[in-house]
Amino acid sequence: MTPAAQPALPAAQPALPAAQPSSPDPALDQSIAPDQPVAAEPAVLDAGHVDLGPRYVDDEWTLLIHDDAAQPVWRDPDRTVLRVTDAALRAVPDDPTYGFLGVPAGTDVHVVPQVQHPDVVWVGWNTQDPRVMQTIDRGVTLELADVDGPGEVVMYLQDGTFSEPQVLWRSTEPPGQPMWVEVNTHTHANWVFTAPGVYLIAVRASADLVGGERVSATRHLRFAVGDASSTDEALAARPGEVAAPPPAGPDPAEPDDAGGGGPWLVVGLVVVAVALAGALVVVVLRGRAVRRRVEQERAGS
């Protein structure tokens, strides 16, 4: 049976006052039990439902990944890889609406969609841990603290077929880009990766507590984007050490410089040599003139 054709990219949506759709999907209804464990073993998640969310671990405010793909469990981001397979590939439409992606129309990009795709990991966020809901004052601020990777990352929401996108995070913008998430919120968005490879996405979660205290934590989401990307490399990656895209090769219109710089380098060296020789002649002539003047002054005295 031939699978149904997938759209190039999810539809766009209008600007909203908070980082959640104006018409929540009933599939986002969920509740989290207070006794759900934190898994100790490493994991690679390439499909199913996961959320980034604040939680207390040993009375410390932090960010964990809530894995609801099978038995609900929380996972440490440093021991979890979110694998985005090539099933997520989409072509950027020839539509100025998608200009915020910063890549030409027709370019293939990996998209973790806002609406769940059975073959793509479904990444969202929630503020639904019971203790978090009891202790925070109204909501949480999520910020994009940093992105390491071979391409750019854009996250945006959609709400309808003909509306404009609400861009939440862009790695081309300065760090920060805060978005407000109300208490007891569960939301998913579109994550766009412009190149395959390993990404570390630093996310900061801050909140004011009902007792007056301010809490904050920053954790890294580990993405292995594309079938050829190594999940082992993603698991071992450290901030600031993720491989950047390779430098651009030589312009094919330019002559080959395998011989050490080509004819332009030879011409440059000749010009420098002539200039140095001329300077040397000037110095010698000036030295002789000074010497003759000194000898004449001595003879006169």
Side-chain angles (χ1 to χ4, degrees):
M1 178 178 178
T2 303
Q6 296 294 330
L9 277 177
Q13 80 138 38
L16 301 173
Q20 59 187 23
S22 59
S23 302
D25 186 341
L28 299 178
D29 291 340
Q30 71 174 4
S31 60
I32 297 176
D35 57 350
Q36 288 182 0
V38 178
E41 70 279 0
V44 174
L45 308 178
D46 58 7
H49 174 213
V50 299
D51 294 326
L52 180 69
R55 175 162 176 181
Y56 288 91
V57 177
D58 297 329
D59 292 330
E60 292 291 331
W61 171 272
T62 188
L63 274 169
L64 296 180
I65 293 173
H66 186 251
D67 177 10
D68 198 27
Q71 186 71 23
V73 66
W74 291 91
R75 297 189 182 276
D76 184 343
D78 287 338
R79 300 174 65 81
T80 306
V81 176
L82 302 172
R83 183 168 181 260
V84 182
T85 67
D86 286 346
L89 280 172
R90 298 290 181 268
V92 175
D94 187 8
D95 184 339
T97 300
Y98 296 95
F100 65 90
L101 296 176
V103 291
T107 303
D108 285 337
V109 294
H110 287 83
V111 181
V112 175
Q114 180 173 332
V115 178
Q116 187 171 14
H117 184 296
D119 299 322
V120 180
V121 63
W122 193 34
V123 184
W125 59 90
N126 75 63
T127 53
Q128 295 180 306
D129 175 73
R131 184 174 174 186
V132 167
M133 291 195 294
Q134 292 170 1
T135 57
I136 63 174
D137 182 13
R138 295 179 297 157
V140 175
T141 299
L142 292 181
E143 298 176 84
L144 181 66
D146 194 21
V147 174
D148 288 341
E152 305 301 339
V153 179
V154 181
M155 185 172 71
Y156 70 99
L157 283 167
Q158 65 178 13
D159 185 27
T161 304
F162 302 106
S163 50
E164 295 295 322
Q166 182 197 3
V167 180
L168 301 176
W169 288 343
R170 290 183 66 190
S171 61
T172 54
E173 300 294 329
Q177 305 170 57
M179 63 180 185
W180 173 253
V181 185
E182 294 280 353
V183 67
N184 196 23
T185 291
H186 176 211
T187 306
H188 285 254
N190 304 292
W191 303 67
V192 179
F193 299 85
T194 63
V198 171
Y199 291 78
L200 288 183
I201 301 180
V203 180
R204 180 182 300 112
S206 306
D208 293 320
L209 305 185
V210 291
E213 182 184 358
R214 177 77 172 174
V215 291
S216 182
T218 303
R219 303 298 302 273
H220 287 83
L221 296 178
R222 300 169 179 272
F223 284 88
V225 178
D227 288 354
S229 296
S230 169
T231 56
D232 290 339
E233 290 181 8
L235 194 61
R238 295 292 178 265
E241 299 178 1
V242 176
D251 188 338
E254 294 293 331
D256 183 9
D257 340 310
W264 289 110
L265 179 59
V266 175
V267 172
L269 290 175
V270 170
V271 171
V272 172
V274 171
L276 290 175
L280 181 61
V281 169
V282 171
V283 170
V284 171
L285 293 177
R286 286 181 176 176
R288 289 177 179 175
V290 170
R291 187 167 64 250
R292 284 197 301 269
R293 186 170 64 251
V294 171
E295 290 175 351
Q296 290 172 355
E297 290 175 354
R298 287 177 178 175
S301 61

